[in-house]
Amino acid sequence: MTANVTAHYSCNDLIGRIDADMKRLGLTRNTITRADLSRLDEFHVGGHGATRSFLDNMPPLADNAQRSTKKILDIGCGIGGPARYIADHYGINVTGIDLSPDYVRAGTMLNDWVGLAPLITLTQGSATDLPPELGPFDAAIIMHLGMNISDKQALFNSVFRALRPGGYLGIYDVMKQNDGVATYPLPWAKDSDMDASAASAVYHRGLANAGFTITSERDRSAMALAFFAKLLGDTGNNSADNSTDNSGDNSGDNSGPPPLGLHILMGPDAKTKITNIASQIASGLFAPTEIIAQKPALP
């Protein structure tokens, strides 16, 4: 499954495509900001609003006391959107790890463009076998990663080892609500062979077996449906399905998806993937869910 996941998230000439879309917006590598990238680099249900709400509920981030001394691990960091938000908004050092070398290379370059490279380190690696030299961390986050990892016990065991005693793990994943059959493609899977989505009970069991205690849980379906309604309205009837050639100056061309959108990462079938997940959240098959868990503190 690892090879299929890597291939699913591979993006040829990712930086070139971002460069072309920046040109459409009149931006350069010297002028682009973290906020400019947020439509593209926060690749999860709810986008930046979901990132902000999720992270504000994480105890090490919600507590202002000595916040700048904390170390955060972003597991499955993608091209680094949440990591950049943490570094920029909270002033905290972030380490990100992702299976996709394309994402890590692009994310590292984007960190440099927006002036956040001193606070962020991105590295290629496996979430189920986190290198011990990366830690220990005060908190770790997982945002839409579990749907691509079938061995969730290995994932939670790995995160547990990477955290300091008393550290927190925040999970924001799309979780199954019943035994219905999913419709593909989805943002994280082209077919059932790639889909490792699971019920929240699977997460509860894996976290408990690893040694975590769950401190809170929140269903984010209502937020997700409002987000998708706006997103699909913004992209228009056909635009998210278009494979747009951004090699020229299209600043005056309103056809195709908006610049610096999720289509860059999701590909030409972006609208199909978005429509499928939106409809299956609405039907109750899936629910984007947050879980906060804590590693026991030392006596």
Side-chain angles (χ1 to χ4, degrees):
M1 189 176 195
T2 298
N4 288 338
V5 171
T6 302
H8 182 73
Y9 292 108
S10 65
C11 294
N12 292 328
D13 192 27
L14 182 53
I15 288 297
R17 297 169 69 185
I18 294 172
D19 260 333
D21 270 22
M22 287 195 310
K23 186 177 181 181
R24 294 173 64 193
L25 292 170
L27 298 170
T28 70
R29 296 185 180 192
N30 293 323
T31 62
I32 194 166
T33 67
R34 180 200 58 77
D36 292 325
L37 292 169
S38 64
R39 287 183 301 179
L40 160 69
D41 65 9
E42 300 191 54
F43 187 14
H44 45 261
V45 174
H48 179 64
T51 302
R52 185 175 60 248
S53 178
F54 171 60
L55 294 175
D56 279 348
N57 279 329
M58 286 287 292
L61 300 178
D63 181 5
N64 288 327
Q66 298 182 330
R67 192 163 63 186
S68 63
T69 65
K70 304 296 183 182
K71 288 179 59 180
I72 307 297
L73 176 62
D74 183 355
I75 307 169
C77 62
I79 63 171
R84 281 187 286 277
Y85 177 72
I86 292 171
D88 187 29
H89 184 71
Y90 301 104
I92 292 177
N93 285 288
V94 187
T95 297
I97 188 166
D98 198 275
L99 198 60
S100 168
D102 291 342
Y103 281 9
V104 170
R105 283 192 295 268
T108 298
M109 191 170 293
L110 294 175
N111 294 340
D112 187 55
W113 292 2
V114 300
L116 292 170
L119 288 175
I120 305 171
T121 300
L122 304 185
T123 187
Q124 194 272 335
S126 171
T128 58
D129 188 20
L130 294 168
E133 64 270 16
L134 292 180
F137 294 92
D138 299 285
I141 62 170
I142 289 172
M143 301 186 75
H144 286 27
L145 174 68
M147 301 99 73
N148 284 130
I149 296 181
S150 55
D151 191 349
K152 292 178 178 54
Q153 192 62 65
L155 171 63
F156 298 144
N157 290 344
S158 181
V159 180
F160 190 88
R161 292 191 296 269
L163 291 174
R164 299 183 192 280
Y168 285 86
L169 168 61
I171 300 168
Y172 177 46
D173 273 353
V174 178
M175 301 183 191
K176 294 287 292 290
Q177 301 301 295
N178 57 57
D179 294 328
V181 178
T183 300
Y184 301 94
L186 291 165
W188 64 88
K190 66 179 181 179
D191 54 36
S192 59
D193 290 340
M194 288 186 59
D195 185 7
S197 57
S200 61
V202 175
Y203 286 75
H204 289 194
R205 184 165 57 250
L207 289 165
N209 288 341
F212 286 103
T213 298
I214 293 174
T215 61
S216 68
E217 184 168 345
R218 185 164 62 149
D219 184 324
R220 303 293 281 145
S221 296
M223 173 278 299
L225 293 176
F227 168 77
F228 284 129
K230 182 177 188 306
L231 181 63
L232 291 169
D234 286 347
T235 56
N237 290 331
N238 298 308
S239 59
D241 280 323
N242 292 342
S243 180
T244 304
D245 177 8
N246 290 327
S247 59
D249 183 358
N250 296 320
S251 57
D253 182 3
N254 291 323
S255 65
L260 294 180
L262 287 174
H263 62 282
I264 292 178
L265 299 180
M266 293 175 66
D269 59 350
K271 188 183 176 186
T272 302
K273 293 173 180 175
I274 292 169
T275 301
N276 284 345
I277 185 55
S279 66
Q280 290 170 92
I281 290 173
S283 72
L285 177 61
F286 290 110
T289 305
E290 296 175 9
I291 296 176
I292 308 297
Q294 186 177 24
K295 179 176 180 173
L298 293 174

